[in-house]
Each structure stands twice: as C-alpha cells, then as structure tokens.
Amino acid sequence: MEWSNYSTYADFVLLGVFSNTRFPWLLFALILLVFVISIASNIIMIILIHMDSRLHTPMYFLLSQLSLMDILYISTIVPKMLLDQVTGHRAISFVGCTAQHFLYLTLAGAEFFLLGLMSYDRYIAICNPLRYSELMSRKICLLIVVAAWLGGSVDGFLLTPVTMQFPFCASREINHFFCEVPALLKLSCVDTSAYETAMYVCCILMLLIPFSVISASYTRILVTVYRMNEAEGRQKAVATCSSHMLIVSLFYGAAMYTYVLPHSYHTPEQDKAVSAFYTILTPMLNPLIYSLRNKDVTGAMKKALGRCLSSGKVTTF
C-alpha cells in the first residue's frame, strides 16, 4: 500500500468532549471557569513570589517555574477547545495539530522532570538544612530549571516528528479534544505497533527517572522525620512535603494511566476524562494546593491585599 495515496497534510477534526454530554454549555461554562481560575491563580502565584522577599527562596523559585509551565500547558489545549464549541468549527490543520502535539509533550515532560527535581530541594531542606544555601544555590536552581525544560523539549522533538510522519487515512476524526498521541495513532493506516512499543519504553523511562529521584528523596526524608524528636519540627516537615507529594500523585497517576496502562484497558471516554483531569484540572489545583496549605504564601497574599486596600484608601482620601 503506497503511502503517497493518502492525504497526510489534510485537516483533522477534533470530536471534543461536548458532543457526548447532555448539557454541553454547562460543561463549557465549567471548563471556562476552571481555565480562568487556573490562569489567574498561577499568575498571582508568580507575582507573589516575585514581589515578596520572604518567598525569594529556591523552593518558591521552582514553584514559579511550575506555575509558568501550567499557564502554557493549559493554554495549549483549552482555548482551542472552547473556541471550537462557540464557533462549531472543530477542524485543526496538520500544522496546528503538530504544534499542539509538540507543545503538549514538551510542557508535560518539563513538568514531569521539574516535579521530580523539586523533591531534591525538599530532601536538602529537611535532611541537610545547614548546607541548604550551598546545595541549592542560585546556579543549581537554574540548572534544575534548564534540565527540566531541556528534558521536556527532548520528548517533544523525539516523538512529534515520528508521530506526524505516519499517513493518516482513516476518517481523520480524532476522538479527543486535542492532538494526543494515542488518539492520533488510531487514525494511521499502517502498523504502528513498533512505534507504540518504543514510545511505551520511552514513557516508562520518562516516568521512572523522576520517579526514582522522588522515591529516593522521600525515603531519606521519611527516615529523617522519623528520627526527629520535636513534634513541631516533624509536623513542619510533613506539611512542607505533603503538598508536593499530592501534586506528584495526581499528575503521575493520570500520566501512568494514559501512557503505561495497556490500551486494552482503555476506552475513548476514559481517555478523555483522564486527559481532562491532568490537562485542565491539575494546572488549577497546583497553585491552590500550594497556597492553601502554605503559611508563607497565604501570608504574602494577605500582605499584598493589605497594600492594595491601603493604597485604595489613600487614593480615595
């Protein structure tokens, strides 16, 4: 079968998530609300970390990068999905699908690596507090961020060209709300099993490398916390790590379902639900979890609100 007989560069059609629901506009309003909250909360997080000197620490610098990734991550997918529902135009060009595919893989990969490397920061803070400023210097923080972005970029540059070079000769209707790899491969008219196996191994490595760092870091942290004599110090250590572990569990759990669980256990509806969780909900939950469970962030927020209110009173007066 000649690949040239098929239109590789034609438009795709995204079926989305609204067509299968009884109340599409209610779901639209809910996703729009989540999107606005996500963008606003992550921007507020970045501004607070930049403005408040108490938050000028390695942990919050890494958190600001996580917020930046979340803003770009959700903006890659949700605006197109909402616009399609408003206009009724569900087509996405080959170039647009390729760009969305690349950005999604790059940002998701970068977040995987950053979450893994953030556990190293928590390990140093709890297990080697006296050497924290030395082991988490500005140079090391920058190296962590660069490593995360490079790791995500490698994922995007490796998988995107291979995925998009397959001839797509099926109905060209992607049963998803964005150009995700498994949904795209279902449209190919050639055998993609070898590539799927290679991608499976790649995703396992992408998950195992940061997950190994997280496991090693938190094993040492648990041992250190167990040996602490002061209850206050133990509670502070647990509170510091619990937010990070909660986000890691949410993000990694959803990714493992999508890319590690065999396809025989998947259905299109389940895939879309899980993908919606880690592409739409997680970017909103990250800043909320860190702000609601963190006294430094809530303190910085109250201080910023106090400044705004006092300046408003002065202007009014």
Side-chain angles (χ1 to χ4, degrees):
M1 191 176 291
E2 293 293 333
W3 286 18
S4 57
N5 292 339
Y6 302 99
S7 178
T8 307
Y9 297 98
D11 288 353
F12 296 100
V13 176
L14 294 167
L15 297 183
V17 294
F18 300 108
S19 57
N20 295 327
T21 179
R22 293 177 60 187
F23 307 101
W25 288 104
L26 179 62
L27 182 60
F28 174 89
L30 182 62
I31 293 175
L32 177 61
L33 178 63
V34 170
F35 176 71
V36 172
I37 292 173
S38 177
I39 296 294
S41 57
N42 278 293
I43 289 175
I44 290 170
M45 195 79 170
I46 292 172
I47 292 172
L48 286 176
I49 292 170
H50 177 73
M51 290 179 57
D52 199 305
S53 58
R54 293 175 299 177
L55 303 182
H56 292 175
T57 64
M59 182 181 79
Y60 293 109
F61 173 70
L62 297 178
L63 274 178
S64 68
Q65 291 297 308
L66 182 65
S67 289
L68 176 60
M69 290 176 185
D70 282 334
I71 291 171
L72 297 174
Y73 188 48
I74 196 170
S75 299
T76 300
I77 295 165
V78 174
K80 167 65 178 170
M81 176 172 50
L82 296 176
L83 187 64
D84 285 353
Q85 177 63 15
V86 172
T87 61
H89 181 71
R90 302 181 184 278
I92 182 170
S93 66
F94 180 85
V95 174
C97 190
T98 302
Q100 188 184 63
H101 184 267
F102 171 77
L103 290 171
Y104 157 73
L105 287 175
T106 298
L107 292 164
E111 192 154 336
F112 277 128
F113 285 116
L114 184 63
L115 286 172
L117 292 168
M118 283 173 70
S119 65
Y120 170 76
D121 169 76
R122 295 299 82 212
Y123 159 69
I124 298 298
I126 294 171
C127 301
N128 292 288
L130 298 178
R131 298 186 62 198
Y132 184 75
S133 58
E134 174 192 347
L135 296 174
M136 285 300 296
S137 63
R138 183 174 180 80
K139 182 179 179 180
I140 291 175
C141 287
L142 290 173
L143 285 174
I144 287 174
V145 171
V146 170
W149 280 106
L150 284 177
S153 299
V154 168
D155 191 29
F157 278 116
L158 282 177
L159 295 182
T160 303
V162 181
T163 303
M164 302 309 293
Q165 60 88 32
F166 286 113
F168 301 105
C169 52
S171 66
R172 308 193 72 83
E173 291 185 344
I174 302 174
N175 192 8
H176 216 293
F177 55 89
F178 71 103
C179 294
E180 194 172 32
V181 182
L184 275 169
L185 293 179
K186 289 178 182 178
L187 304 184
S188 178
C189 57
V190 297
D191 184 17
T192 61
S193 57
Y195 173 59
E196 288 181 37
T197 302
M199 188 179 66
Y200 176 81
V201 174
C202 178
C203 291
I204 290 288
L205 292 174
M206 282 281 293
L207 288 169
L208 280 181
I209 292 172
F211 191 74
S212 299
V213 175
I214 293 169
S215 300
S217 298
Y218 277 98
T219 299
R220 296 293 300 273
I221 287 170
L222 287 173
V223 172
T224 303
V225 169
Y226 178 76
R227 291 175 179 173
M228 286 182 178
N229 295 322
E230 297 181 3
E232 184 179 348
R234 189 178 298 178
Q235 288 177 354
K236 186 176 180 181
V238 171
T240 303
C241 298
S242 58
S243 297
H244 181 253
M245 281 304 299
L246 181 58
I247 289 172
V248 166
S249 301
L250 294 174
F251 200 71
Y252 276 62
M256 284 181 179
Y257 168 86
T258 302
Y259 292 101
V260 177
L261 194 70
H263 293 302
S264 57
Y265 293 92
H266 292 227
T267 65
E269 289 72 24
Q270 289 173 343
D271 286 345
K272 284 191 276 190
V274 174
S275 295
F277 178 79
Y278 72 82
T279 58
I280 301 173
L281 285 179
T282 304
M284 181 190 72
L285 293 175
N286 287 353
L288 294 180
I289 290 171
Y290 273 109
S291 61
L292 294 175
R293 298 172 60 87
N294 192 303
K295 293 181 180 179
D296 293 335
V297 176
T298 53
M301 195 175 297
K302 289 176 182 177
K303 185 178 176 181
L305 287 173
R307 285 178 181 174
C308 293
L309 291 174
S310 61
S311 63
K313 289 178 181 178
V314 171
T315 305
T316 304
F317 180 77

